Amino acid sequence: YHSMFKKDDGTLWAMGYNYWGASGNGTTNISSVAVKVTANGSDLVFGALAKGYAAYHSMAVGQMLATSPIADTPTVSAIGQTNAMLGATVTSDGGTIITERGTVWGTTANPTGNQLAEGGTTTGAFSHIRTGLPAGTLIYFRGYAVNSVGTSYTEDGSFWTIPPGPVEQSASGISTSNFIANWSASTGATNYLLDVANDGSFTSYVSGYQNLSVGNTQSWPAVGLVAGQTYYYRVRAQNSGGTSANSGTGSVTLNKGDQTITFPPISSQ
């Protein structure tokens, strides 16, 4: 005691007696208005579906309507100053062919710009190198997948690109045993690593001054040194993305200490 019909958009609808669930909407409610026939929660158009019990059931012929694909799990690796390996996983094609998948990035949340296709058209994990990123910057990115229905994005992923290398500056506070190494700030840096050596090739480091973590500062004292000797210093910038290349090399010669000259006594004739 019910009717089933197809609308112009191809979806199937039913109304009337529904004690055994013959209307195909997941309930046993009798309805005097049309309800949509579904299969596992998706619209049904043109395929086979039985709803109901024994002699009290309906048969619809249809197929699932396609949906947008599903992409999730954004991934990042191989982070550099201006590049990184970005990816995601396409877990569903939405019931139709995937025409494109790739990544987008920006410097604010939920980016849709800087879109680049990876080249694949299947479900599964993918990744590709993205270049042209700003150094020392918090990057937001998402994976995406496209089919004939639409485009879907993953949730945001984020990471810091490696900061640019700092620039060494002239030493200050020079004395007979100390000096202060100085350098410029690097965008996005949260820490600096300092080297001080006895030679410009950095083969003989001053004790305690090889790869010394000094925090987010642009100067650091080197102490306990030898008067009159020349020392060399360099620094690297660091953040959660990684460590920059070395700065240039600075050099400084410490002041000579006071010298005492003793003359032999002059004898009287």
Side-chain angles (χ1 to χ4, degrees):
Y1 303 93
H2 68 275
S3 300
M4 185 171 284
F5 54 92
K6 180 171 72 71
K7 287 189 174 182
D8 290 341
D9 64 3
T11 57
L12 294 170
W13 296 72
M15 61 188 298
Y17 187 78
N18 190 34
Y19 184 76
W20 297 105
S23 291
N25 69 338
T27 75
T28 55
N29 300 326
I30 296 173
S31 178
S32 60
V33 297
V35 294
K36 185 182 290 186
V37 179
T38 61
N40 299 322
S42 297
D43 294 353
L44 188 75
V45 218
F46 308 120
L49 172 71
K51 292 284 187 177
Y53 174 77
Y56 305 98
H57 70 274
S58 298
M59 176 74 73
V61 178
Q63 67 180 14
M64 300 292 190
L65 280 178
T67 62
S68 297
I70 299 174
D72 60 22
T73 319
T75 60
V76 57
S77 61
I79 298 170
Q81 276 190 0
T82 60
N83 59 273
M85 181 82 73
L86 305 184
T89 299
V90 180
T91 58
S92 171
D93 60 13
T96 188
I97 295 171
I98 292 175
T99 57
E100 185 178 315
R101 65 185 190 185
T103 58
V104 296
W105 67 267
T107 55
T108 56
N110 301 315
T112 56
N114 300 299
Q115 180 172 314
L116 180 66
E118 174 265 346
T121 55
T122 62
T123 58
F126 69 90
S127 61
H128 58 164
I129 286 287
R130 298 302 310 265
T131 59
L133 309 177
T137 302
L138 179 59
I139 301 295
Y140 295 88
F141 73 100
R142 299 194 288 180
Y144 72 88
V146 182
N147 66 13
S148 58
V149 177
T151 301
S152 294
Y153 295 92
T154 68
E155 66 274 18
D156 278 6
S158 64
F159 64 97
W160 282 88
T161 50
I162 295 174
V167 176
E168 82 286 355
Q169 295 181 349
S170 298
S172 60
I174 302 167
S175 71
T176 57
S177 60
N178 308 324
F179 73 90
I180 297 173
N182 300 299
W183 56 89
S184 65
S186 292
T187 302
T190 57
N191 186 47
Y192 294 88
L193 302 173
L194 174 65
D195 296 331
V196 180
N198 298 299
D199 64 301
S201 299
F202 290 86
T203 59
S204 173
Y205 291 93
V206 173
S207 178
Y209 289 91
Q210 181 179 359
N211 212 39
L212 176 64
S213 177
V214 300
N216 193 6
T217 182
Q218 282 74 63
S219 63
W220 196 260
V223 300
L225 308 177
V226 177
Q229 183 170 322
T230 299
Y231 292 93
Y232 302 85
Y233 60 93
R234 65 187 182 186
V235 68
R236 294 170 294 285
Q238 193 175 49
N239 64 14
S240 60
T243 303
S244 76
N246 291 318
S247 68
T249 299
S251 64
V252 56
T253 300
L254 299 191
N255 298 334
K256 294 181 179 180
D258 293 336
Q259 293 180 325
T260 301
I261 301 175
T262 303
F263 295 94
I266 300 174
S267 60
S268 57
Q269 298 292 327

